[in-house]
Amino acid sequence: MLHSPVLYSIAGLGIAIVNDFKSIEGDRELGLQSLPVAFGIDTAKWICAGSVTLTQVGVAAYLNSINEPYYALGLLALILPQIFFQATLLLPDPVANDVKYQASAQPFLVFGILLTGLCVGHHDWTI
């Protein structure tokens, strides 16, 4: 049961990285080592997309492993639009599209977190 919050905290890293793209120039000037500054924009955007997507795939696998395949499929369905927005907004230009990406993709992440909580809350842990 502890797996989901731990995994979703990794997805939170991806969301935090998106917030770093908008302040990359200020971070450089102040000597702050945000991920986009430390690793470069290209690497940071892939870390961002990977942490958000792979975390949720891991949670879906966990839900399936506790015999909750419908919740797992629901979560996978919520991942698809996020991948679309990563491919069309985040990966092509994370600096210009950071706000659009978050506004488009983040609701699906939040619904996935809610779906996971619903699953865990309703799961029969005595089995």
Side-chain angles (χ1 to χ4, degrees), residues 27-51:
D27 289 353
R28 277 191 187 123
E29 289 174 17
L30 294 173
L32 300 175
Q33 291 296 306
S34 62
L35 249 64
V37 172
F39 293 101
I41 292 173
D42 286 338
T43 301
K45 71 184 180 184
W46 285 103
I47 293 171
C48 174
S51 66

Side-chain angles (χ1 to χ4, degrees), residues 17-90:
I17 296 169
V18 174
N19 289 325
D20 289 340
F21 287 118
K22 65 182 117 207
S23 59
I24 193 167
E25 292 305 319
D27 289 353
R28 277 191 187 123
E29 289 174 17
L30 294 173
L32 300 175
Q33 291 296 306
S34 62
L35 249 64
V37 172
F39 293 101
I41 292 173
D42 286 338
T43 301
K45 71 184 180 184
W46 285 103
I47 293 171
C48 174
S51 66
V52 172
T53 303
L54 295 177
T55 295
Q56 292 177 95
V57 169
V59 172
Y62 171 69
L63 296 180
N64 193 57
S65 77
I66 62 169
N67 203 26
E68 295 288 359
Y70 297 116
Y71 284 104
L73 287 172
L75 183 55
L76 290 173
L78 290 168
I79 295 170
L80 293 175
Q82 295 175 71
I83 292 171
F84 171 78
F85 291 123
Q86 288 169 353
T88 59
L89 295 172
L90 180 69

